[in-house]
Amino acid sequence: MVTVLKSSNAKNQTSNYEIIISHIAKFPGLRFYQLRQETGFANGTLQHHINSLIKSKKIDAHYDNAVPRYFLHNVDQSHKIIIQRLSQNTTSKIIKLLLKKECQTFAQLVKYSKKSPGTVSLYKNKMVADKIIVGTTDGCKSCKNRGNVKIKYRLVDPEKVRTLVLEYGKTPLKESADNLADIFLSLR
């Protein structure tokens, strides 16, 4: 009888692992509380399964400061960083603008994001450090005033970003502000 319980429990664990992996595959970059909401698992149960999946190298935890975001193990590191930034409200607005318009000044980034200059500066600097955007005084292809010496920001690899938006932006997370799906829909 104990064997039957263990066998049944192992079957439940396997299905729980599959549930977690499928949510992470569908919504890469989920944080713990988002994964908990999506799966309905209790904190301890979810933490146990996440730890097992990380040890078995099926998923990875990518940290921004002390906050982990979960990805399938085979997701490229540069993609993890872009997906992470796309899931943040201010950075996703900046990326959305730079996908629509090739290059923008800092003032244009502030105006479009409707955030304070300090907030935009913080996130802009993170994206520069992450090598998602670059700021130069060189004119962009679409800039009419090439003699302007203001720093203009542009995406380092707009096609990679656009591909990630198309790949992961089709299925929105419930109650997620300005997520990948919003970006996907805005680019149509």
Side-chain angles (χ1 to χ4, degrees), residues 28-29 69 71 78-97 99 123 127 130 132 155 158 160-169 176-184 187:
R69 290 183 180 272
F71 295 88
S78 67
H79 291 185
K80 290 176 185 176
I81 294 168
I82 293 169
I83 292 168
Q84 174 185 331
R85 296 298 176 221
L86 285 168
S87 65
Q88 297 168 329
N89 190 2
T90 303
T91 53
S92 68
K93 285 182 179 182
I94 292 169
I95 290 170
K96 184 189 311 182
L97 176 63
L99 281 171
Y123 286 110
M127 288 193 297
D130 292 339
I132 297 171
L155 294 167
K160 180 195 287 187
V161 173
R162 192 175 314 280
T163 299
L164 288 172
V165 167
L166 292 173
E167 185 173 345
Y168 296 113
S176 179
D178 203 52
N179 59 41
L180 293 171
D182 295 336
I183 295 171
F184 177 75
L187 292 175

Side-chain angles (χ1 to χ4, degrees), residues 32 36 39-49:
F32 183 86
R36 189 187 70 223
T39 62
F41 296 148
N43 285 347
T45 302
L46 181 58
Q47 191 62 61
H48 168 75
H49 292 317

Side-chain angles (χ1 to χ4, degrees), residues 112-161:
Y112 184 81
S113 67
K114 298 180 183 168
K115 300 290 182 182
S116 73
T119 299
V120 173
S121 179
L122 173 78
Y123 286 110
K124 171 201 53 92
N125 290 341
K126 283 184 178 195
M127 288 193 297
V128 168
D130 292 339
K131 296 179 175 57
I132 297 171
I133 66 171
V134 65
T136 65
T137 55
D138 298 342
C140 299
K141 294 175 197 167
S142 64
C143 295
K144 291 177 177 88
N145 186 0
R146 298 196 190 273
N148 197 341
V149 292
K150 286 185 178 181
I151 295 175
K152 300 255 183 168
Y153 296 94
R154 62 180 171 78
L155 294 167
V156 171
D157 190 347
E159 286 312 308
K160 180 195 287 187
V161 173

Side-chain angles (χ1 to χ4, degrees), residues 6 16-17 31 50 60 63 76 95 97 141 159 161 186:
K6 284 184 179 179
N16 288 348
Y17 292 142
R31 295 181 358 199
I50 286 174
D60 291 328
Y63 288 85
D76 183 76
I95 290 170
L97 176 63
K141 294 175 197 167
E159 286 312 308
V161 173
S186 73

